[in-house]
């Protein structure tokens, strides 16, 4: 049974979602609402601002997608992010010394895996179940793309690239678990509907191919990734079979609004870039930004104190420009931390290549526990984490029991 027989697919798009939000506002009894939107959400927020301007007190567009966003924008955003990451490493003395010529090493690694793929095992994080996979150039590019979505994983990408280049695949084996989670969490019907109704009609394969020529470091991903390869994006029969139709041409017009709006994004985001946010800002009379935050990835709210404090200040007083002086204080670090348990299974492979010290989350927990006089700790988490080395080995080294 097709999706079109189970639901009216023409009602699943940005303007209809905006209408639903406005109906919810009315049902809850609010005269106005503050809108925070991230990733695809800003596309809906712009429809809300256009169609229901009196309902919105303020809007924050985090990692924004514009009303006019052909699919080649996706490739350009990804290419811009990876190119910028390579440039940052080359410009930083310690990173460049540890990982010289990172871009070419990446291209060489992709070419090698394209010619000689490798069979490996990985585990699904939620169950610990082991599965076998073939590591080729498309699989490597897919894993690195989704790792690039995470702020905490960004510093590990240069070490991961060099590790794979030298035959150490642990970062991919660990990272692939995250990719499988994203695959199961993704709302693919919703994504296909938005892509077919709002993006494909204004997209040209020539523009997409031009983006890949500009950024050869991303070609393996877009030609042969696990989720949205080129053959899927430009498969006319897919959208025809889907049956959702297309939005009206007026939906592609830039939103013009006087609603106070704050635009923010990370400067190493694989899915949004500053030029698109600047284009959105042109039609917004009372806007601040876009502000770009160094070495933050997709969605900056909650990722660092600087953007979080600016967003909070703006929502309190949308008429006042938030203090952005904290952005200049974000560059550089004396040490690194990773607020993620599971990724610490690749800790040893990353830290030996890191130009600055990394604090292990288990060591920090153990140190605090001993300061509090604890002798034994209770561990809770996924089976994958509990049976792995992250906490048991570290706690044992500190002389602490656990169960």
């Amino acid at each position: 049974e097709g999706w079109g027989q189970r639901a009216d697919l023409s009602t699943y798009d940005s303007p209809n979602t905006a209408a639903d939000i406005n109906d919810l506002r009315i049902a809850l009894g609010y005269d106005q609402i503050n809108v925070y939107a991230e990733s695809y959400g800003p596309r809906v927020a712009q429809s809300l601002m256009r169609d229901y301007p009196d309902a919105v007190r303020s809007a924050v567009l985090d990692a924004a997608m514009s009303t006019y966003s052909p699919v080649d924008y996706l490739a350009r955003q990804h290419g811009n992010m990876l190119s910028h990451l390579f440039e940052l490493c080359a410009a930083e003395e310690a990173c460049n010394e540890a990982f010289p010529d990172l871009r070419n090493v990446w291209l060489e690694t992709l070419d090698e895996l394209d010619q000689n793929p490798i069979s490996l095992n990985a585990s699904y994080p939620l169950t610990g179940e082991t599965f076998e996979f073939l590591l080729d150039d498309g699989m490597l590019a897919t894993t690195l793309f989704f790792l690039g979505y995470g702020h905490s994983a960004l510093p590990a990408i240069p070490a991961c690239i060099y590790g794979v280049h030298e035959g150490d695949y642990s970062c991919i084996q660990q990272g692939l678990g995250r990719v499988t989670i994203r695959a199961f969490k993704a709302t693919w019907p919703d994504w296909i509907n938005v892509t077919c109704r709002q993006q494909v009609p204004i997209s040209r394969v020539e523009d997409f191919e031009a983006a890949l020529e500009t950024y050869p470091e991303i070609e393996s991903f877009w030609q042969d990734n696990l989720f949205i390869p080129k053959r899927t994006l430009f498969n006319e029969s897919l959208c025809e079979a889907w049956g959702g139709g297309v939005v009206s041409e007026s939906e592609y017009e830039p939103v013009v609004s006087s609603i106070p709006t704050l635009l923010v994004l990370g400067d190493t985001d694989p899915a949004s870039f500053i030029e698109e946010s600047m284009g959105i800002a042109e039609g917004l009379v009372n806007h601040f930004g876009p502000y770009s935050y160094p070495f933050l990835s997709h969605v900056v709210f909650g990722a660092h104190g600087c953007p979080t404090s600016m967003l909070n200040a703006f929502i309190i007083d949308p008429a006042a420009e938030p203090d952005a002086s904290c952005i200049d204080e974000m560059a550089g670090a004396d040490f690194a931390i990773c607020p993620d348990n599971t990724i610490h299974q690749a800790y040893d492979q990353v830290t030996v290549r890191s130009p600055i010290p990394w604090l292990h989350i288990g060591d920090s927990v153990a140190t605090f526990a001993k300061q509090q006089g604890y002798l034994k700790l209770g561990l809770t988490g996924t089976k994958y984490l509990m049976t792995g080395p992250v906490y048991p080995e570290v706690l044992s080294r500190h002389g602490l029991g656990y169960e």
Side-chain angles (χ1 to χ4, degrees):
E1 183 181 4
W3 281 98
Q5 296 175 286
R6 298 160 61 181
D8 182 0
L9 298 178
S10 66
T11 64
Y12 290 85
D13 56 23
S14 301
N16 279 288
T17 303
D20 291 341
I21 294 173
N22 188 58
D23 288 342
L24 179 61
R25 173 193 67 83
I26 295 172
L28 293 174
Y30 291 110
D31 292 331
Q32 286 189 315
I33 56 175
N34 296 302
V35 176
Y36 168 76
E38 61 185 43
S39 193
Y40 165 70
R43 176 63 184 84
V44 176
Q46 291 168 80
S47 292
L48 187 68
M49 295 163 66
R50 179 197 60 215
D51 298 340
Y52 309 97
D54 294 336
V56 181
R57 173 179 176 267
S58 68
V60 176
L61 308 183
D62 190 343
M65 173 184 179
S66 66
T67 53
Y68 187 90
S69 185
V71 295
D72 63 276
Y73 277 25
L74 298 172
R76 295 184 187 280
Q77 291 156 357
H78 180 203
N80 182 68
M81 169 267 176
L82 201 55
S83 179
H84 182 54
L85 185 66
F86 294 154
E87 291 171 357
L88 287 173
C89 186
E92 211 284 320
E93 182 178 356
C95 186
N96 189 51
E97 182 177 348
F99 315 109
D101 201 17
L102 186 60
R103 179 179 182 274
N104 285 328
V105 170
W106 167 249
L107 293 173
E108 290 173 5
T109 305
L110 290 173
D111 184 62
E112 173 62 25
L113 288 174
D114 180 41
Q115 301 297 321
N116 302 292
I118 298 170
S119 180
L120 297 171
N121 291 320
S123 298
Y124 183 56
L126 299 182
T127 64
E129 180 182 357
T130 300
F131 61 90
E132 185 176 355
F133 69 96
L134 191 68
L135 181 62
D136 59 7
D137 59 328
M139 178 67 78
L140 174 63
T142 299
T143 306
L144 263 292
F145 174 79
F146 284 110
L147 285 180
Y149 265 75
H151 311 285
S152 61
L154 280 174
I157 288 180
C160 182
I161 292 173
Y162 255 75
V164 174
H165 183 68
E166 297 172 0
D168 180 355
Y169 309 109
S170 55
C171 68
I172 299 301
Q173 291 171 294
Q174 304 298 334
L176 189 59
R178 290 185 167 203
V179 175
T180 59
I181 289 177
R182 183 172 289 274
F184 283 110
K185 287 175 62 179
T187 53
W188 294 116
D190 193 30
W191 180 86
I192 292 174
N193 201 57
V194 169
T195 301
C196 288
R197 282 181 55 76
Q198 298 179 212
Q199 292 185 282
V200 170
I202 57 171
S203 301
R204 299 192 316 155
V205 67
E206 301 95 316
D207 295 333
F208 194 84
E209 290 174 344
L212 298 187
E213 290 181 9
T214 302
Y215 299 105
E217 52 266 60
I218 64 169
E219 184 172 3
S220 291
F221 174 79
W222 290 101
Q223 295 287 11
D224 195 25
N225 70 78
L226 295 181
F227 303 107
I228 45 176
K230 174 185 170 184
R231 62 181 178 274
T232 299
L233 286 170
F234 292 98
N235 187 343
E236 294 181 2
S237 62
L238 171 66
C239 289
E240 290 176 3
W242 185 253
V246 298
V247 297
S248 65
E249 292 186 6
S250 62
E251 287 299 316
Y252 299 121
E253 295 296 325
V255 172
V256 177
S257 173
S258 60
I259 296 171
T261 306
L262 177 66
L263 298 101
V264 295
L265 73 159
D267 77 344
T268 44
D269 187 338
S272 64
F273 63 136
I274 188 72
E275 288 81 6
E276 187 164 17
S277 290
M278 292 173 65
I280 296 171
E282 290 180 1
L284 306 178
V285 178
N286 297 317
H287 77 271
F288 299 113
Y291 297 103
S292 180
Y293 300 89
F295 219 64
L296 289 186
S297 185
H298 196 59
V299 181
V300 300
F301 180 66
H304 188 279
C306 180
T308 302
S309 64
M310 289 178 62
L311 268 64
N312 288 335
F314 172 76
I315 291 174
I316 292 172
D317 185 4
E321 182 173 6
D323 181 4
S325 60
C326 60
I327 297 178
D328 294 332
E329 302 170 1
M330 291 178 62
D334 296 322
F335 62 91
I337 61 172
C338 178
D340 180 290
N341 288 310
T342 306
I343 204 171
H344 276 73
Q345 296 205 42
Y347 177 84
D348 292 337
Q349 285 72 36
V350 173
T351 54
V352 295
R353 301 174 181 273
S354 176
I356 59 175
W358 276 55
L359 302 185
H360 191 291
I361 195 170
D363 285 322
S364 299
V365 169
T367 299
F368 179 79
K370 292 169 72 173
Q371 290 173 348
Q372 300 302 309
Y374 298 141
L375 301 177
K376 180 180 286 189
L377 302 182
L379 302 181
T380 60
T382 64
K383 178 181 178 181
Y384 184 70
L385 177 64
M386 295 300 96
T387 57
V390 175
Y391 285 105
E393 291 183 6
V394 175
L395 295 180
S396 297
R397 188 170 68 243
H398 283 270
L400 294 171
Y402 59 88
E403 61 180 32

